[in-house]
Amino acid sequence: MELHRIDVEILDINDHAPVFKKKEITFQISESALSGARYSIDSAKDPDVGLNSLQTYKLNPSDHFTLKSFSRPDGSKYVEMVLQTQLDREKQGEHKLVLTAFDGGIPSKSGAIKVNIVVLDANDNAPSFTQSVYRVNLPENTPLGSVIMSVSAIDADEGTNGDIEYSLSQSSHSVSDLFSIDRFNGEITVKGDLDFEISKYHELDIEATDKGGLTDTCKVLIDITDVNDNPPVISVMSFSNAIPEDAAPETVIAMLNVKDLDSGRNGQVKCSIDPNLPLKIKSLNANFYSLVTEQLLDREAISDYNITITAVDEGSPSFSTNKTLNLKISDVNDNAPVFQRQSYTAYVLENNPPGVSVSSVKAHDKDSGNNARISYFLEDILVNGVSASTYISVNAESGEILAVRSFDYEQIKEFNIRVKAQDGGNPPLSSNVSVRIIIQDQNDNAPQVLYPVQSGASVVAEIVPRSADVGYLVTKVVAVDVDSGQNAWLSYKLQKATDRALFEVGLQNGEIRTVRQVTDKDAVKQRLTVVVEDNGQPSRSATVNVNVAVADSFPEVLSEFTDFTHDKEYNDNLTFYLVLALAVVSFLFIVSIIAILSVKCYRWRRERMYYKSGANLPVIPYYPPLYADVGGTGTLQHVYNYEVCRTTDSRKSDLKYVRPCSESVISLDTSGAQTLPHAQRDKLTSEVFDDQQKPPSADWRFTQNQRPGPSGAAATPEVAVGTGPWPNPPTEAEQLQALMAAANEVSEATNTLGPGTMGLTTRYSPQFTLQHVPDYRQNVYIPGSTATLTSNPQQPQQALPPPQASAAQAEPPKAAQTPASKKKSTKKEKK
């Protein structure tokens, strides 16, 4: 701000006419009054100035009186009437005059007052003041009622004409509210408050009048002296109640005008403020001051100032005035956000749901308003080669850190991100903080067994010699858990074993050791199931199968473990397989029932068809020639001997022959049954498998002459009569033919089985009765053969060789069986 002094002069116009305070006045004048007697008339008042103010007076009529105008020191004017011609009461006892006052305006304005003159009887001597002018100095703080002076007048007359009364003339009416005069003794008393600042002096016109109406006048001049009775006045011309905190020094805050109505030293004023403020006050010129900054401001330290300006004059005693201004410091964005911590650490459990709150950051800004409004952002840094925003998000308003996806402790254990806090200033300021996010482990991984390796390709077994002592280290189960902490603390337990009393597992190290001395009675094959369990809540476990061979040599182990079937993978959900097995068995049972019913229905319909047709061709059952008569009753027992061929491995085509319980393939009863030695059985078995593709031999079938009759006797004389219904007992050659035919049927059934499957070869020797076999003399159809039995001996037939040849090939009968041999034979037959 700059200060310029401007003086404005108001030009007067003649807008006021002279006005007398009274409309009419009366004078009592003795007829003996001498020429030259003066009578004072209060002047008219005109507020205008210059030529527009009061200029002249005019008295009408002017036969006895003339007018004289006078000016006071303050510039005011008054008028006196001067007697020119003596009055004569006898001629005219009363005169009416008009006094007119004119100003100098164009056009001129005027004001008038009536003057009444009453002519009195003659009074020879008029009062006379001792002094024509009185002077007095009076302080402005003179108390009311104080007598400031006395005036005195003398009258030479005696009696009542010599009594004088004092009064203020009409011209002193303006000060009549400040002063009064005692009419008998002439004492002048202070009546009102005097103020040097309003008027520095006063002039009083005092009249002394005797009883005869004669008067005299004098002047009293009163000078008012100044006292320090006014405090300074502070006026604020301009004020910036808010300034920015980055305002430069010497910045003007306010401009002041300080006045003191007193004069001299009482009116000299000094202004000051608190010296501890970063402000100062400067004097521009008389009575004008400016308030400016002295140093840089800081809103964050002090946001506002109460500035007290003190103005003190130099009077005695001095007066002072205080003026208080409230200055506010507006904010500037000069402070960056500050986080509550230098760094943050947050913990989150793995497998967390996306969107879960991980932690929160908080920053504070010392600024205010938008400069302190903080927004939070995630800095785009790389975490494990990808952007941090794929892991974490930050709420811009609250600073809450949220997980974008589910974490896996086994993939990432911890990572660092940076969060930026930015305020809303212009330009904005920001700061960063590092947040370390630690993933806490959960027990979400089961232990993994590293050794022994579980594979279905081959069987791995640990060998324990039979000479092993107690505590012998068989093997060690090695497992790991990718979890951490107690979730990775593993313990080993023996769940099941072929012989639980022989082995134990170390709880912490997984070592399998022998508990006792190995004996010859211990089985070679030992199966151990070890459970590896972690210490998590809830715990997880894994199972491993350990094959242990108790043997002293490798061939013994190899011969025993080649028959190991490969276990399927261990499955915890055993219930599922039980339900599946039950469903499969139920399905097979229903299918079997349906198949049996279908076969029954099919056979029944076929029999009906044959009986209704005219072919009259019943079917002869297919009977092999091996038979025996038991007790001569004609009933043959059905005896089946099975030999099972299987492989040790589904990937191999080698056959493993399991020896039956009996050493003989065919076991007959004591009435002539014969036993095939083991060597011949092996030979026959090999022949059977060599001739799997050959058709069955028809040499054992009956000829027409060999067919038995209804009575069991021979049909022709060519057949010798034996002990049973057949001519002769079957020879060994016939037994061999029956075995080959049975093997051929078995080979047909097994042709569809490929290598690597388990084959089952069944050899059987049905023993039957012929009492229900009819004596067919006509052509008979034999199922499973293209040959037809006929009674024509010239027609070629498939028949057994002659009995004589068979008898020749048979071995001689063995010696009679002893009771011991009979008993053994009976046991074989039962088996």
Side-chain angles (χ1 to χ4, degrees):
M1 293 185 66
E2 293 183 354
L3 182 64
H4 299 274
R5 181 182 182 88
I6 300 175
D7 294 331
V8 179
E9 181 181 1
I10 309 300
L11 299 180
D12 184 51
I13 61 174
N14 189 24
D15 55 347
H16 294 87
V19 177
F20 289 93
K21 190 172 182 180
K22 294 182 179 180
K23 300 297 182 181
E24 183 178 355
I25 59 176
T26 301
F27 290 96
Q28 293 180 353
I29 302 175
S30 174
E31 64 179 355
S32 62
L34 299 176
S35 298
R38 296 176 299 173
Y39 302 94
S40 176
I41 299 174
D42 192 11
S43 65
K45 301 296 183 183
D46 191 339
D48 296 328
V49 296
L51 292 177
N52 296 326
S53 64
L54 180 65
Q55 297 294 326
T56 61
Y57 292 92
K58 183 178 181 180
L59 182 64
N60 187 30
S62 59
D63 297 338
H64 298 280
F65 296 93
T66 60
L67 293 177
K68 287 186 178 182
S69 297
F70 300 93
S71 297
R72 296 190 178 95
D74 60 352
S76 61
K77 295 181 179 182
Y78 65 95
V79 66
E80 290 182 352
M81 291 189 307
V82 179
L83 181 62
Q84 278 186 333
T85 304
Q86 289 186 344
L87 299 176
D88 189 359
R89 188 185 64 81
E90 288 72 24
K91 291 181 178 180
Q92 187 176 354
E94 184 176 2
H95 300 271
K96 293 185 180 292
L97 307 176
V98 175
L99 180 62
T100 304
F102 296 91
D103 59 19
I106 300 174
S108 178
K109 293 186 178 182
S110 63
I113 185 173
K114 293 180 180 182
V115 179
N116 297 323
I117 304 296
V118 177
V119 180
L120 300 177
D121 193 15
N123 184 10
D124 296 339
N125 296 294
S128 175
F129 283 98
T130 59
Q131 296 180 12
S132 61
V133 177
Y134 294 86
R135 287 186 176 273
V136 64
N137 291 327
L138 187 65
E140 62 177 336
N141 60 349
T142 302
L144 297 178
S146 299
V147 178
I148 59 174
M149 67 175 300
S150 296
V151 295
S152 175
I154 299 173
D155 193 340
D157 296 329
E158 294 180 356
T160 58
N161 292 327
D163 295 335
I164 301 174
E165 291 184 359
Y166 301 95
S167 65
L168 294 176
S169 67
Q170 298 293 332
S171 62
S172 300
H173 182 74
S174 61
V175 294
S176 61
D177 55 346
L178 298 177
F179 303 96
S180 66
I181 187 170
D182 187 275
R183 66 175 183 167
F184 297 107
N185 55 21
E187 292 181 353
I188 300 174
T189 307
V190 177
K191 182 180 178 182
D193 294 331
L194 304 178
D195 192 350
F196 174 83
E197 289 72 33
I198 297 176
S199 178
K200 295 179 176 58
Y201 63 94
H202 300 279
E203 182 177 343
L204 303 178
D205 292 325
I206 309 299
E207 289 184 352
T209 305
D210 58 12
K211 295 295 185 181
L214 298 179
T215 64
D216 190 14
T217 61
C218 73
K219 292 185 179 295
V220 177
L221 301 178
I222 303 173
D223 293 326
I224 306 300
T225 59
D226 182 50
V227 296
N228 191 23
D229 58 346
N230 291 284
V233 177
I234 302 174
S235 300
V236 178
M237 300 176 61
S238 66
F239 174 55
S240 300
N241 61 351
I243 63 172
E245 59 179 327
D246 59 347
E250 299 295 330
T251 300
V252 177
I253 298 172
M255 296 200 70
L256 309 173
N257 181 19
V258 181
K259 292 182 179 180
D260 195 326
L261 298 179
D262 297 325
S263 62
R265 296 183 60 88
N266 296 331
Q268 295 180 3
V269 181
K270 291 183 179 180
C271 291
S272 63
I273 60 173
D274 187 354
N276 295 324
L277 295 176
L279 308 170
K280 66 179 179 179
I281 192 165
K282 295 173 61 178
S283 178
L284 300 177
N285 52 36
N287 302 329
F288 289 94
Y289 299 88
S290 63
L291 182 65
V292 298
T293 59
E294 189 175 16
Q295 60 189 26
L296 293 176
L297 305 176
D298 187 2
R299 190 205 67 85
E300 287 71 36
I302 301 176
S303 60
D304 61 342
Y305 294 91
N306 287 323
I307 306 170
T308 301
I309 302 172
T310 303
V312 181
D313 60 24
E314 296 183 2
S316 181
S318 63
F319 282 86
S320 64
T321 301
N322 295 328
K323 183 74 173 181
T324 300
L325 302 178
N326 182 260
L327 176 64
K328 295 185 180 298
I329 309 301
S330 60
D331 184 52
V332 175
N333 192 26
D334 56 349
N335 291 279
V338 177
F339 285 93
Q340 295 178 349
R341 303 179 185 174
Q342 296 294 331
S343 63
Y344 290 83
T345 301
Y347 298 88
V348 58
L349 286 173
E350 66 172 331
N351 304 317
N352 59 287
V356 69
S357 176
V358 175
S359 180
S360 63
V361 295
K362 196 68 176 178
H364 175 71
D365 197 321
K366 294 181 180 180
D367 297 324
S368 63
N370 286 335
N371 296 331
R373 183 173 55 84
I374 300 176
S375 300
Y376 301 91
F377 303 95
L378 178 64
E379 288 194 353
D380 191 12
I381 61 176
L382 294 180
V383 176
N384 293 338
V386 298
S387 175
S389 60
T390 61
Y391 290 90
I392 290 297
S393 67
V394 178
N395 189 302
E397 297 295 332
S398 63
E400 185 177 14
I401 301 176
L402 305 175
V404 174
R405 66 181 184 182
S406 180
F407 297 116
D408 187 358
Y409 176 82
E410 287 70 39
Q411 294 182 359
I412 181 171
K413 293 179 173 55
E414 67 176 58
F415 59 92
N416 292 323
I417 62 173
R418 294 191 66 82
V419 178
K420 179 175 73 173
Q422 179 175 296
D423 59 27
N426 187 18
L429 300 178
S430 63
S431 61
N432 301 326
V433 69
S434 176
V435 181
R436 180 187 180 192
I437 298 178
I438 299 176
I439 312 301
Q440 293 181 326
D441 183 50
Q442 281 187 329
N443 192 25
D444 56 344
N445 291 280
Q448 298 178 1
V449 179
L450 301 180
Y451 184 84
V453 179
Q454 299 294 295
S455 174
S458 62
V459 176
V460 179
E462 305 290 342
I463 300 177
V464 177
R466 295 188 180 274
S467 60
D469 295 332
V470 177
Y472 177 82
L473 178 60
V474 177
T475 185
K476 182 177 181 179
V477 178
V478 180
V480 295
D481 195 326
V482 294
D483 293 324
S484 66
Q486 65 177 6
N487 296 329
W489 296 351
L490 301 181
S491 59
Y492 303 84
K493 297 178 182 178
L494 184 62
Q495 186 181 37
K496 60 182 179 178
T498 304
D499 189 354
R500 297 186 67 91
L502 182 56
F503 301 101
E504 68 175 359
V505 178
L507 181 62
Q508 303 297 333
N509 54 21
E511 294 180 350
I512 301 177
R513 295 180 179 272
T514 58
V515 180
R516 58 175 176 81
Q517 185 73 36
V518 180
T519 63
D520 295 338
K521 295 181 180 181
D522 293 327
V524 176
K525 302 175 184 178
Q526 297 286 339
R527 170 67 63 86
L528 306 179
T529 301
V530 178
V531 176
V532 184
E533 188 177 27
D534 59 27
N535 197 34
Q537 294 295 331
S539 62
R540 294 176 177 267
S541 61
T543 305
V544 58
N545 294 322
V546 180
N547 297 319
V548 179
V550 181
D552 291 327
S553 62
F554 182 74
E556 182 181 358
V557 175
L558 183 62
S559 63
E560 290 294 337
F561 277 82
T562 52
D563 291 338
F564 260 169
T565 59
H566 301 288
D567 295 333
K568 295 181 179 179
E569 183 181 356
Y570 183 83
N571 195 333
D572 293 333
N573 196 357
L574 184 59
T575 304
F576 171 76
Y577 290 101
L578 292 177
V579 174
L580 181 62
L582 180 60
V584 172
V585 171
S586 301
F587 174 75
L588 294 178
F589 176 74
I590 295 173
V591 171
S592 301
I593 295 299
I594 294 174
I596 292 174
L597 294 177
S598 300
V599 172
K600 291 291 185 182
C601 293
Y602 173 75
R603 289 180 178 178
W604 177 76
R605 290 183 62 187
R606 189 178 62 176
E607 290 177 359
R608 291 284 301 273
M609 181 181 66
Y610 279 123
Y611 281 121
K612 290 181 180 180
S613 63
N616 196 16
L617 297 174
V619 178
I620 298 177
Y622 179 80
Y623 297 111
L626 186 59
Y627 61 89
D629 189 318
V630 181
T633 61
T635 301
L636 301 179
Q637 296 181 350
H638 294 271
V639 179
Y640 299 91
N641 292 325
Y642 298 93
E643 184 171 342
V644 180
C645 302
R646 63 183 179 179
T647 65
T648 59
D649 194 335
S650 61
R651 296 164 297 175
K652 300 176 181 179
S653 60
D654 299 336
L655 298 180
K656 176 70 175 179
Y657 300 95
V658 179
R659 182 176 300 173
C661 297
S662 176
E663 291 294 331
S664 60
V665 177
I666 301 175
S667 178
L668 304 178
D669 59 2
T670 57
S671 61
Q674 303 206 3
T675 302
L676 187 64
H678 181 69
Q680 296 180 2
R681 185 206 66 181
D682 294 337
K683 180 180 180 181
L684 288 175
T685 304
S686 63
E687 291 176 357
V688 168
F689 281 90
D690 291 338
D691 299 332
Q692 286 182 358
Q693 303 300 326
K694 295 179 181 181
S697 176
D699 295 339
W700 61 275
R701 297 181 177 175
F702 302 120
T703 63
Q704 182 68 26
N705 295 329
Q706 290 174 337
R707 183 181 296 109
S711 62
T716 62
E718 296 176 359
V719 180
V721 178
T723 58
W726 294 90
N728 291 315
T731 65
E732 185 174 356
E734 292 175 345
Q735 295 177 5
L736 290 174
Q737 291 178 358
L739 290 174
M740 292 175 64
N744 190 22
E745 292 181 359
V746 173
S747 66
E748 291 177 358
T750 59
N751 279 336
T752 59
L753 301 176
T757 61
M758 182 179 292
L760 176 62
T761 303
T762 306
R763 293 181 180 179
Y764 58 90
S765 56
Q767 298 178 2
F768 52 87
T769 177
L770 300 178
Q771 60 182 351
H772 298 294
V773 179
D775 185 8
Y776 296 102
R777 304 301 184 194
Q778 304 298 328
N779 294 336
V780 178
Y781 167 74
I782 300 177
S785 174
T786 58
T788 303
L789 299 180
T790 178
S791 60
N792 188 0
Q794 282 76 22
Q795 186 177 357
Q797 301 176 3
Q798 292 180 359
L800 292 172
Q804 291 81 6
S806 298
Q809 294 176 4
E811 294 180 1
K814 297 180 182 180
Q817 297 179 353
T818 62
S821 64
K822 290 181 179 181
K823 184 176 182 181
K824 184 181 297 184
S825 177
T826 304
K827 290 182 179 180
K828 291 180 180 180
E829 183 182 41
K830 290 181 179 179
K831 292 179 180 179

